[in-house]
Amino acid sequence: GDSVTQMEGPVTLSEEAFLTINCTYTATGYPSLFWYVQYPGEGLQLLLKATKADDKGSNKGFEATYRKETTSFHLEKGSVQVSDSAVYFCALSPLFSGGYNKLIFGAGTRLAVHP
Amino acid sequence: EAGVAQSPRYKIIEKRQSVAFWCNPISGHATLYWYQQILGQGPKLLIQFQNNGVVDDSQLPKDRFSAERLKGVDSTLKIQPAKLEDSAVYLCASSSFRQGQATNEKLFFGSGTQLSVL
């Protein structure tokens, strides 16, 4: 079945460091791909998405490119801030889901940014 | 705009007891989801409603879990009887998705109900 694999955390960085969180997926066809973020004490919220191969999603300085050839959707940010400390979830929406919108999540990667 | 509301925020029960969680989605959202998030894992879909009909409950342990969305608005998820392995955060989400649209609509999540089964 469809699945998402993320790099294990926690990822600990100093402020202004470069961030990469790896995400790969297994799915039939071309699913839509997402990154959701969960800040402490809050619900998950959409960070960015890409719906077809070679699309780049971006938001708040974060970027991820849909790579069909490597089945990947790695999250990157050039300069992280303390406020980026959160848990990041990669997710996919299967192409064939009976016509209904559903999300399959990875295990999440905790990011801790220190001043 | 009001977000997805869930209650209670925390619940502690003993095994074999029953428990219920409530969710009120964003107004006008046709699709409602219940996810289970076990510590250290990603959210797993338990059940998905389109209006008041179930469209996916393939991962719902139906011998102990039940859910309803009677009027197509708010929803209740129940566990009876609870087991130790049910300890998790139960997330409710909603989406404006309607059948026939592209399957990449954003989901809006509530803050969740943290359940501890002792």
Side-chain angles (χ1 to χ4, degrees):
Chain A
D2 297 343
S3 65
V4 175
T5 303
Q6 290 182 235
M7 64 185 288
E8 289 191 17
V11 174
T12 304
L13 296 173
S14 298
E15 208 165 22
E16 299 184 1
F18 184 84
L19 168 71
T20 299
I21 299 178
N22 291 338
C23 170
T24 57
Y25 68 90
T26 301
T28 302
Y30 291 82
S32 295
L33 301 174
F34 306 80
W35 278 99
Y36 277 77
V37 59
Q38 187 172 31
Y39 297 104
E42 299 183 15
L44 280 83
Q45 54 187 277
L46 179 66
L47 180 60
L48 54 84
K49 73 177 185 182
T51 59
K52 59 183 186 294
D54 299 325
D55 264 4
K56 178 184 285 187
S58 60
N59 186 24
K60 299 181 181 180
F62 291 89
E63 293 182 340
T65 301
Y66 189 140
R67 302 288 187 197
K68 178 63 178 176
E69 63 276 11
T70 55
T71 61
S72 65
F73 193 54
H74 304 323
L75 183 67
E76 297 182 335
K77 187 175 186 182
S79 176
V80 294
Q81 305 300 312
V82 172
S83 56
D84 294 327
S85 298
V87 182
Y88 292 81
F89 292 91
C90 187
L92 68 83
S93 178
L95 177 65
F96 304 111
S97 58
Y100 291 99
N101 195 40
K102 64 184 288 186
L103 282 181
I104 297 171
F105 286 89
T109 303
R110 181 175 299 278
L111 170 66
V113 180
H114 298 291
Chain B
E1 170 180 81
V4 176
Q6 289 189 248
S7 67
R9 187 72 179 88
Y10 303 94
K11 191 72 177 179
I12 301 174
I13 62 172
E14 295 188 350
K15 61 183 179 183
R16 291 188 289 274
Q17 286 187 323
S18 62
V19 64
F21 313 126
W22 174 82
C23 172
N24 191 21
I26 291 174
S27 177
H29 279 190
T31 306
L32 185 146
Y33 311 77
W34 283 102
Y35 280 85
Q36 179 192 58
Q37 186 178 11
I38 293 172
L39 186 65
Q41 299 180 19
K44 181 184 82 172
L45 180 66
L46 292 176
I47 189 167
Q48 178 177 346
F49 292 93
Q50 184 79 20
N51 297 310
N52 60 351
V54 175
V55 299
D56 187 345
D57 63 355
S58 56
Q59 297 196 83
L60 186 74
K62 299 181 186 63
D63 57 334
R64 297 185 301 105
F65 285 65
S66 64
E68 59 184 14
R69 191 185 186 200
L70 292 176
K71 296 182 179 179
V73 181
D74 56 349
S75 175
T76 303
L77 176 70
K78 297 179 181 178
I79 308 175
Q80 182 179 9
K83 293 185 175 181
L84 297 178
E85 59 261 36
D86 298 332
S87 295
V89 176
Y90 291 84
L91 300 169
C92 180
S94 70
S95 162
S96 60
F97 172 80
R98 295 182 186 273
Q99 193 178 16
Q101 294 178 330
T103 56
N104 56 32
E105 282 296 314
K106 175 179 176 180
L107 270 64
F108 294 81
F109 284 84
S111 297
T113 296
Q114 184 171 328
L115 173 67
S116 297
V117 182
L118 306 178

